[in-house]
Tab-separated table of all heavy atoms in Angstrom:
chain	number	residue	atom	x	y	z
A	338	VAL	N	-45.156	35.637	13.488
A	338	VAL	CA	-43.775	35.382	13.898
A	338	VAL	C	-43.630	33.957	14.436
A	338	VAL	O	-42.671	33.248	14.115
A	338	VAL	CB	-43.329	36.409	14.955
A	338	VAL	CG1	-41.910	36.119	15.434
A	338	VAL	CG2	-43.409	37.813	14.388
A	339	LEU	N	-44.587	33.528	15.243
A	339	LEU	CA	-44.531	32.161	15.780
A	339	LEU	C	-44.641	31.126	14.671
A	339	LEU	O	-44.032	30.050	14.748
A	339	LEU	CB	-45.650	31.956	16.799
A	339	LEU	CG	-45.573	32.810	18.072
A	339	LEU	CD1	-46.782	32.540	18.962
A	339	LEU	CD2	-44.280	32.517	18.825
A	340	TYR	N	-45.395	31.450	13.620
A	340	TYR	CA	-45.530	30.507	12.504
A	340	TYR	C	-44.185	30.257	11.840
A	340	TYR	O	-43.813	29.105	11.566
A	340	TYR	CB	-46.528	31.069	11.489
A	340	TYR	CG	-46.508	30.346	10.165
A	340	TYR	CD1	-47.105	29.096	10.025
A	340	TYR	CD2	-45.874	30.911	9.055
A	340	TYR	CE1	-47.072	28.424	8.811
A	340	TYR	CE2	-45.841	30.244	7.840
A	340	TYR	CZ	-46.438	29.007	7.726
A	340	TYR	OH	-46.387	28.343	6.525
A	341	PHE	N	-43.425	31.320	11.595
A	341	PHE	CA	-42.136	31.137	10.938
A	341	PHE	C	-41.102	30.529	11.890
A	341	PHE	O	-40.173	29.853	11.432
A	341	PHE	CB	-41.637	32.480	10.385
A	341	PHE	CG	-42.306	32.876	9.102
A	341	PHE	CD1	-43.307	33.825	9.092
A	341	PHE	CD2	-41.947	32.280	7.914
A	341	PHE	CE1	-43.935	34.186	7.917
A	341	PHE	CE2	-42.563	32.633	6.722
A	341	PHE	CZ	-43.564	33.584	6.731
A	342	GLN	N	-41.240	30.752	13.178
A	342	GLN	CA	-40.355	30.068	14.119
A	342	GLN	C	-40.595	28.560	14.097
A	342	GLN	O	-39.640	27.766	14.083
A	342	GLN	CB	-40.578	30.621	15.525
A	342	GLN	CG	-40.000	31.998	15.751
A	342	GLN	CD	-40.194	32.481	17.174
A	342	GLN	OE1	-40.896	31.835	17.964
A	342	GLN	NE2	-39.604	33.610	17.505
A	343	LYS	N	-41.848	28.159	14.089
A	343	LYS	CA	-42.151	26.732	14.001
A	343	LYS	C	-41.709	26.150	12.667
A	343	LYS	O	-41.213	25.015	12.596
A	343	LYS	CB	-43.653	26.510	14.206
A	343	LYS	CG	-44.150	26.850	15.605
A	343	LYS	CD	-45.644	26.613	15.730
A	343	LYS	CE	-46.127	26.942	17.132
A	343	LYS	NZ	-47.607	26.738	17.273
A	344	LYS	N	-41.863	26.918	11.624
A	344	LYS	CA	-41.431	26.455	10.313
A	344	LYS	C	-39.913	26.290	10.269
A	344	LYS	O	-39.402	25.362	9.630
A	344	LYS	CB	-41.887	27.447	9.239
A	344	LYS	CG	-41.654	26.961	7.826
A	344	LYS	CD	-42.216	27.950	6.819
A	344	LYS	CE	-41.971	27.442	5.394
A	344	LYS	NZ	-42.498	28.393	4.383
A	345	LEU	N	-39.183	27.157	10.954
A	345	LEU	CA	-37.729	27.038	11.016
A	345	LEU	C	-37.326	25.760	11.740
A	345	LEU	O	-36.417	25.038	11.289
A	345	LEU	CB	-37.136	28.260	11.731
A	345	LEU	CG	-35.622	28.246	11.963
A	345	LEU	CD1	-34.881	28.248	10.641
A	345	LEU	CD2	-35.205	29.431	12.815
A	346	TYR	N	-37.988	25.455	12.834
A	346	TYR	CA	-37.681	24.228	13.563
A	346	TYR	C	-38.007	22.990	12.721
A	346	TYR	O	-37.264	22.003	12.723
A	346	TYR	CB	-38.459	24.186	14.876
A	346	TYR	CG	-37.668	24.718	16.048
A	346	TYR	CD1	-37.167	26.009	16.043
A	346	TYR	CD2	-37.412	23.934	17.160
A	346	TYR	CE1	-36.450	26.516	17.102
A	346	TYR	CE2	-36.699	24.422	18.221
A	346	TYR	CZ	-36.212	25.713	18.200
A	346	TYR	OH	-35.488	26.202	19.245
A	347	LYS	N	-39.121	23.035	11.993
A	347	LYS	CA	-39.468	21.900	11.153
A	347	LYS	C	-38.457	21.715	10.031
A	347	LYS	O	-38.135	20.579	9.665
A	347	LYS	CB	-40.869	22.102	10.570
A	347	LYS	CG	-41.988	21.965	11.584
A	347	LYS	CD	-43.347	22.165	10.924
A	347	LYS	CE	-44.470	22.007	11.940
A	347	LYS	NZ	-45.809	22.209	11.313
A	348	SER	N	-37.963	22.811	9.479
A	348	SER	CA	-36.972	22.693	8.410
A	348	SER	C	-35.663	22.107	8.913
A	348	SER	O	-34.912	21.510	8.138
A	348	SER	CB	-36.718	24.067	7.785
A	348	SER	OG	-36.166	24.968	8.739
A	349	LEU	N	-35.376	22.233	10.209
A	349	LEU	CA	-34.162	21.661	10.799
A	349	LEU	C	-34.425	20.319	11.466
A	349	LEU	O	-33.545	19.798	12.163
A	349	LEU	CB	-33.570	22.636	11.820
A	349	LEU	CG	-33.081	23.976	11.255
A	349	LEU	CD1	-32.609	24.885	12.372
A	349	LEU	CD2	-31.967	23.756	10.241
A	350	ASN	N	-35.621	19.754	11.270
A	350	ASN	CA	-35.995	18.434	11.801
A	350	ASN	C	-36.013	18.390	13.325
A	350	ASN	O	-35.822	17.327	13.919
A	350	ASN	CB	-35.056	17.341	11.271
A	350	ASN	CG	-35.122	17.191	9.773
A	350	ASN	OD1	-36.171	17.394	9.180
A	350	ASN	ND2	-34.013	16.845	9.155
A	351	VAL	N	-36.248	19.525	13.963
A	351	VAL	CA	-36.324	19.588	15.420
A	351	VAL	C	-37.795	19.654	15.815
A	351	VAL	O	-38.563	20.409	15.209
A	351	VAL	CB	-35.566	20.818	15.966
A	351	VAL	CG1	-35.670	20.897	17.482
A	351	VAL	CG2	-34.112	20.754	15.553
A	352	PRO	N	-38.240	18.867	16.794
A	352	PRO	CA	-39.654	18.925	17.204
A	352	PRO	C	-40.070	20.322	17.637
A	352	PRO	O	-39.333	21.019	18.340
A	352	PRO	CB	-39.720	17.930	18.373
A	352	PRO	CG	-38.583	16.989	18.148
A	352	PRO	CD	-37.500	17.809	17.505
A	353	VAL	N	-41.258	20.726	17.198
A	353	VAL	CA	-41.748	22.067	17.519
A	353	VAL	C	-41.997	22.206	19.015
A	353	VAL	O	-41.916	23.310	19.565
A	353	VAL	CB	-43.027	22.351	16.718
A	353	VAL	CG1	-43.545	23.758	17.000
A	353	VAL	CG2	-42.775	22.173	15.233
A	354	SER	N	-42.268	21.114	19.693
A	354	SER	CA	-42.531	21.189	21.131
A	354	SER	C	-41.322	21.690	21.910
A	354	SER	O	-41.471	22.229	23.003
A	354	SER	CB	-42.945	19.812	21.659
A	354	SER	OG	-41.923	18.855	21.418
A	355	ARG	N	-40.129	21.539	21.350
A	355	ARG	CA	-38.936	22.033	22.041
A	355	ARG	C	-38.808	23.541	21.952
A	355	ARG	O	-38.016	24.141	22.683
A	355	ARG	CB	-37.686	21.374	21.451
A	355	ARG	CG	-37.678	19.856	21.613
A	355	ARG	CD	-36.395	19.268	21.105
A	355	ARG	NE	-36.376	17.818	21.351
A	355	ARG	CZ	-35.345	17.154	21.850
A	355	ARG	NH1	-34.246	17.804	22.183
A	355	ARG	NH2	-35.395	15.857	22.018
A	356	LEU	N	-39.564	24.163	21.049
A	356	LEU	CA	-39.525	25.615	20.937
A	356	LEU	C	-40.247	26.287	22.088
A	356	LEU	O	-39.871	27.387	22.509
A	356	LEU	CB	-40.148	26.036	19.601
A	356	LEU	CG	-40.300	27.529	19.329
A	356	LEU	CD1	-38.937	28.205	19.278
A	356	LEU	CD2	-41.061	27.751	18.032
A	357	GLU	N	-41.264	25.640	22.621
A	357	GLU	CA	-42.072	26.219	23.687
A	357	GLU	C	-41.388	25.978	25.023
A	357	GLU	O	-41.230	24.847	25.455
A	357	GLU	CB	-43.468	25.610	23.670
A	357	GLU	CG	-44.190	25.824	22.347
A	357	GLU	CD	-45.502	25.083	22.293
A	357	GLU	OE1	-45.812	24.383	23.293
A	357	GLU	OE2	-46.202	25.174	21.271
A	358	SER	N	-41.002	27.063	25.663
A	358	SER	CA	-40.254	26.961	26.917
A	358	SER	C	-41.123	26.539	28.083
A	358	SER	O	-40.612	26.052	29.096
A	358	SER	CB	-39.578	28.302	27.240
A	358	SER	OG	-40.559	29.339	27.344
A	359	ASP	N	-42.452	26.723	27.980
A	359	ASP	CA	-43.307	26.380	29.098
A	359	ASP	C	-43.589	24.892	29.189
A	359	ASP	O	-44.164	24.430	30.176
A	359	ASP	CB	-44.635	27.141	29.014
A	359	ASP	CG	-45.329	26.917	27.666
A	359	ASP	OD1	-44.661	26.411	26.754
A	359	ASP	OD2	-46.511	27.278	27.552
A	360	ASN	N	-43.200	24.136	28.160
A	360	ASN	CA	-43.398	22.689	28.206
A	360	ASN	C	-42.290	22.064	29.023
A	360	ASN	O	-41.120	22.116	28.639
A	360	ASN	CB	-43.400	22.099	26.792
A	360	ASN	CG	-44.659	22.463	26.037
A	360	ASN	OD1	-45.638	22.870	26.645
A	360	ASN	ND2	-44.635	22.312	24.725
A	361	GLY	N	-42.629	21.461	30.150
A	361	GLY	CA	-41.632	20.822	30.996
A	361	GLY	C	-41.201	19.486	30.443
A	361	GLY	O	-41.837	18.894	29.577
A	362	PHE	N	-40.087	18.990	30.979
A	362	PHE	CA	-39.562	17.690	30.551
A	362	PHE	C	-40.164	16.607	31.427
A	362	PHE	O	-40.008	16.622	32.642
A	362	PHE	CB	-38.037	17.673	30.684
A	362	PHE	CG	-37.415	16.361	30.281
A	362	PHE	CD1	-37.346	16.008	28.955
A	362	PHE	CD2	-36.922	15.489	31.241
A	362	PHE	CE1	-36.773	14.817	28.579
A	362	PHE	CE2	-36.349	14.294	30.881
A	362	PHE	CZ	-36.270	13.956	29.542
A	363	SER	N	-40.878	15.683	30.791
A	363	SER	CA	-41.541	14.614	31.518
A	363	SER	C	-41.034	13.279	31.013
A	363	SER	O	-40.825	13.097	29.815
A	363	SER	CB	-43.062	14.687	31.341
A	363	SER	OG	-43.399	14.547	29.979
Side-chain angles (χ1 to χ4, degrees):
V338 178
L339 295 178
Y340 167 76
F341 282 102
Q342 286 182 352
K343 294 180 179 179
K344 188 176 180 181
L345 176 64
Y346 266 58
K347 289 181 179 180
S348 63
L349 296 176
N350 297 327
V351 179
V353 182
S354 59
R355 299 184 176 226
L356 176 63
E357 301 174 358
S358 59
D359 55 346
N360 288 343
F362 179 73
S363 61

